[in-house]
């Protein structure tokens, strides 16, 4: 049997005890206060470094989920497939210093940039965005980041660049989920150039004005608020400009369920989950109607004028 470090055993015990406690507390409370137990199954992330930020005019005004909720309920399959796995398994992840991003493809400035280079002279903004996962839950997340457009301009894409592809770090030693075949690794996502240049599209480096916790995609991840959460690729190490539409890891895994566009659309059901309603976490049963483009339609619907969004899901 593989040796389990004692720290992990302690974590596991903490987790199981906490679960049992929550289960009995829920039973005692009756069915009235149904909170998702996975939201409390792990310790929240340690706080990061405070960033110098300004509030963005593009920030929403919904009340954000708590730090605890946002750092204990995650999808990051590199660290396991259950919502509470990343908080536990990403704890030891050490993003390489300096973090480098390779710039490839149809652009003048191919090469590598460090994250420090990218952030030099860049204003960091706080933006509260709604987040909708295709699985039917939603949260409100106070990101800290900057427009993806700022990085793209600096790469000087050629006139042939019609799409941008992003790739997550591949590191089997630090990312145990990459030893499984739930997805093709490394995780790959993409955007059409106009989507990538849209002012709502950001690269996030922080949460609540502090550096990103590992489980949320440290040190750099994509956020596209009108699309399903899976477009928001984490721990990005490569940006590539392409003439043709790239193929994402989720399209490879299940093309009927995960399209390239992935615009939030209550009228197009996923084979396993309705998209008409969502559960706003932490409550599992407080359902609200899902809005087209996750409520950002006024700002982005024109990008898709004339497109059949039933076919281009
Ligand atoms: N590399 C990578 N990025 C990823 C994922 C993943 O498994 N691996 N999961 C996606 C999904 S399905 C969602 S809903 C969001 C979750 O982001 P959060 O944990 O910060 O809420 O990350 C997305 N980005
Ligand atoms: Mo998701």
């Amino acid at each position: 049997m593989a040796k389990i470090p004692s720290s992990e055993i302690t974590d596991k015990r903490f987790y199981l005890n906490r679960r049992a406690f929550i289960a009995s507390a829920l039973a005692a409370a009756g069915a009235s206060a149904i909170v998702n137990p996975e939201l409390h199954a792990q310790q929240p992330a340690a706080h990061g470094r405070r960033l110098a930020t300004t509030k963005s005019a593009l920030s929403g005004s919904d009340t954000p989920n708590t730090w605890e909720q946002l750092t204990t309920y995650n999808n990051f399959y590199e660290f396991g497939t259950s919502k509470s796995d990343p908080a536990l398994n990403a704890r030891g992840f050490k993003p390489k210093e300096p973090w480098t991003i390779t710039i490839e493809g149809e652009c003048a400035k191919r090469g590598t940039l460090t994250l420090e280079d990218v952030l030099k002279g860049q204003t960091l903004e706080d933006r509260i965005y709604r987040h909708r996962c295709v699985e039917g839950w939603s949260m409100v997340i106070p990101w800290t980041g900057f427009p993806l457009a700022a990085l793209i301009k600096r790469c000087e894409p050629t006139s042939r660049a019609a799409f941008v592809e992003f790739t997550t770090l591949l590191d089997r030693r630090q990312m145990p989920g990459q030893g499984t075949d739930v997805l093709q690794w490394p995780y790959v996502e993409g955007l059409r150039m106009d989507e990538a240049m849209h002012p709502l599209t950001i690269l996030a480096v922080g949460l609540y004005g502090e550096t990103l916790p590992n489980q949320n995609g440290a040190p750099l991840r994509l956020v596209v608020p009108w699309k399903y959460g899976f477009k928001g690729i984490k721990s990005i190490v490569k940006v590539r400009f392409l003439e043709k539409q790239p193929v994402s890891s989720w399209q490879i895994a299940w093309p009927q369920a995960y399209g390239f566009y992935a615009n939030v659309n209550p009228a197009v059901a996923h084979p396993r989950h309705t998209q008409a309603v969502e559960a706003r976490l932490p409550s599992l049963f407080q359902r609200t109607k899902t809005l087209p483009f996750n409520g950002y339609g006024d700002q982005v619907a024109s990008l898709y004028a004339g497109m059949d969004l039933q076919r281009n899901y």
Side-chain angles (χ1 to χ4, degrees):
M1 206 182 102
K3 260 218 217 138
I4 302 166
S6 61
S7 62
E8 212 164 278
I9 293 171
T10 316
D11 288 343
K12 193 84 185 167
R13 208 174 288 145
F14 173 81
Y15 158 80
L16 292 172
N17 286 342
R18 196 113 191 248
R19 281 211 137 172
F21 168 76
I22 288 159
S24 59
L26 281 176
S32 60
I34 305 296
V35 165
N36 192 324
E38 269 195 288
L39 276 164
H40 300 281
Q42 295 298 343
Q43 286 177 290
H47 285 277
R49 190 162 45 79
R50 189 131 278 289
L51 299 163
T53 67
T54 61
K55 192 179 159 128
S56 166
L58 295 172
S59 179
S61 55
D62 314 68
T63 304
N65 283 86
T66 64
W67 178 268
E68 172 165 20
Q69 290 160 359
L70 295 173
T71 65
T72 58
Y73 191 92
N74 302 95
N75 269 335
F76 199 169
Y77 277 17
E78 284 82 343
F79 295 104
T81 54
S82 95
K83 299 292 167 285
S84 53
D85 281 344
L88 184 65
N89 298 327
R91 206 173 288 176
F93 174 58
K94 293 208 167 40
K96 196 170 53 146
E97 296 257 11
W99 186 262
T100 55
I101 303 137
T102 309
I103 310 294
E104 292 183 3
E106 286 294 338
C107 67
K109 300 279 154 106
R110 277 177 244 149
T112 52
L113 289 170
T114 66
L115 181 56
E116 224 185 325
D117 291 335
V118 173
L119 296 181
K120 215 170 278 163
Q122 181 67 59
T123 306
L124 291 180
E125 300 173 19
D126 290 318
R127 291 198 192 182
I128 296 172
Y129 277 169
R130 289 181 295 278
H131 173 99
R132 174 63 157 82
C133 179
V134 83
E135 295 162 343
W137 48 271
S138 63
M139 300 217 217
V140 176
I141 311 187
W143 297 111
T144 299
F146 59 93
L148 171 61
L151 174 63
I152 291 181
K153 280 178 199 150
R154 164 164 189 182
C155 301
E156 297 177 20
T158 69
S159 58
R160 280 189 297 275
F163 295 90
V164 202
E165 179 196 73
F166 305 88
T167 306
T168 294
L169 176 69
L170 183 64
D171 183 345
R172 280 234 203 162
R173 203 176 48 78
Q174 292 203 82
M175 296 177 147
Q178 290 179 338
T180 72
D181 61 5
V182 283
L183 284 177
Q184 181 170 295
W185 310 111
Y187 195 102
V188 169
E189 258 308 337
L191 294 172
R192 210 171 59 189
M193 197 56 115
D194 58 344
E195 300 177 319
M197 294 298 290
H198 193 280
L200 284 175
T201 303
I202 60 171
L203 286 170
V205 292
L207 188 66
Y208 271 109
E210 298 178 15
T211 49
L212 268 187
N214 290 337
Q215 53 264 52
N216 297 86
L220 179 75
R221 59 91 54 86
L222 180 69
V223 179
V224 193
W226 71 92
K227 293 181 180 280
Y228 290 113
F230 69 87
K231 295 299 277 187
I233 180 171
K234 296 177 168 180
S235 307
I236 297 168
V237 294
K238 188 158 77 177
V239 174
R240 188 157 70 118
F241 296 94
L242 297 168
E243 256 186 284
K244 297 221 171 72
Q245 187 172 305
V247 181
S248 70
S249 295
W250 282 106
Q251 283 180 285
I252 295 167
W254 193 1
Q256 296 81 3
Y258 299 97
F260 176 78
Y261 283 95
N263 291 320
V264 173
N265 190 345
V268 177
H270 176 283
R272 221 172 256 164
H273 317 275
T274 167
Q275 298 305 330
V277 288
E278 62 199 63
R280 174 61 57 81
L281 295 178
S283 169
L284 273 183
F285 294 105
Q286 218 175 61
R287 304 265 167 133
T288 56
K289 276 195 172 162
T290 289
L291 298 171
F293 302 107
N294 203 23
Y296 297 92
D298 287 353
Q299 292 151 86
V300 301
S302 63
L303 298 179
Y304 310 100
M307 270 178 78
D308 179 350
L309 296 176
Q310 300 273 340
R311 285 174 55 99
N312 295 286
Y313 55 85

